[in-house]
Amino acid sequence: MHETAGLPATELRAFAARAEAAEDAGAEALLAVHPDRAPASVLAPLLRRDGKPGFVVTDMTDVDLFAPLDTVVPPDAPLYVLTGLDRGDRMANWSPDEALPALTAEARTPLLLTEGIQWVLHQPAVLDRNHCFMTLGSRRRKPDGALDARTPAVWISNGTGRDGRERRNAPKVGWCWAGNRHTWLGFGSATGRRTV
C-alpha cells in the first residue's frame, strides 16, 4: 500500500504506531490512504477472495472520477484514520437516496469508495456474500454539477454476465442506481476521520 501511495514503508509504519498509541483509536480504527494517493482502479485488483483478484466492472471505466461528496471531506494528509466502522447491514434494502440522510442524522459519515476497498484489504471478512456494502460517500459529478445516478459499491461477483465465470466469488467494485434498493447491500460508514 505504501508503494501505491508513494510513501516510504517507514512512514506508514510510524503513522500506524502513532494511531495505535492514540487512546481513542480502538480496535475499530482503519488506517486509510488518501484517495488522491491510492485511486480505486489501482486498489481494486489488490483485493483477494478465494485466491481471485478483485476487479472493477467493465461499465465503470470512470471509477476514479467518483470523488468525495461535498459533505465528506477526507483529511488533507496522505494517511488518516477512520473510526467506528460499520457495514450498515441494518440498512439493507434501503436505497442510497434514503440511506444518506439517515446516516447524516446519526452523525455518521458514509465511506468513500477507496476507504471501502481499503477496509476489505485490511479485513477481508467484512466482505461476506449477501452482506456487502455501498460506499455512497463517493459520487461522480456531471458537467452541469448534478450527481451521476450511480453509487459505487463493493460486493462479491456471481460470475455472471460480463463478469465472466472465472470471476465467480471474486471481490467486485461496481455500482447501483441511487434510487434502487438491494437486500444484500448495506451502507459502509464511520463515526469520523482524523489524523494523528
Side-chain angles (χ1 to χ4, degrees), residues 7-46:
L7 299 168
T10 53
E11 184 176 339
L12 187 80
R13 288 188 188 108
F15 181 88
R18 288 194 308 274
E20 189 175 39
E23 61 185 65
D24 63 340
E28 293 182 44
L30 172 73
L31 187 151
V33 176
H34 195 282
D36 289 348
R37 295 280 191 125
S41 63
V42 174
L43 294 175
L46 300 177

Side-chain angles (χ1 to χ4, degrees), residues 59-147:
D59 60 352
M60 201 174 182
T61 56
D62 57 353
V63 67
D64 292 334
L65 299 179
F66 283 74
L69 290 170
D70 295 340
T71 57
V72 181
V73 182
D76 186 18
L79 301 169
Y80 59 95
V81 173
L82 285 157
T83 55
L85 291 160
D86 181 64
R87 192 169 59 186
D89 292 352
R90 66 186 173 79
M91 291 182 166
N93 210 30
W94 291 33
S95 72
D97 287 342
E98 295 165 328
L100 184 58
L103 290 172
T104 301
E106 295 171 3
R108 295 193 64 81
T109 180
L111 294 185
L112 302 175
L113 175 57
T114 55
E115 292 169 347
I117 295 170
Q118 290 178 66
W119 190 18
V120 177
L121 282 169
H122 287 277
Q123 298 176 23
V126 79
L127 194 63
D128 187 20
R129 186 167 291 285
N130 299 319
H131 298 286
C132 301
F133 61 95
M134 301 192 79
T135 54
L136 55 93
S138 295
R139 296 290 292 276
R140 181 174 179 184
R141 291 232 177 245
K142 296 178 182 180
D144 65 1
L147 289 176

Side-chain angles (χ1 to χ4, degrees), residues 170-188:
K172 171 178 178 174
V173 172
W175 59 270
C176 297
W177 298 118
N180 286 6
R181 296 175 175 177
H182 298 279
T183 58
W184 45 275
L185 283 174
F187 295 89

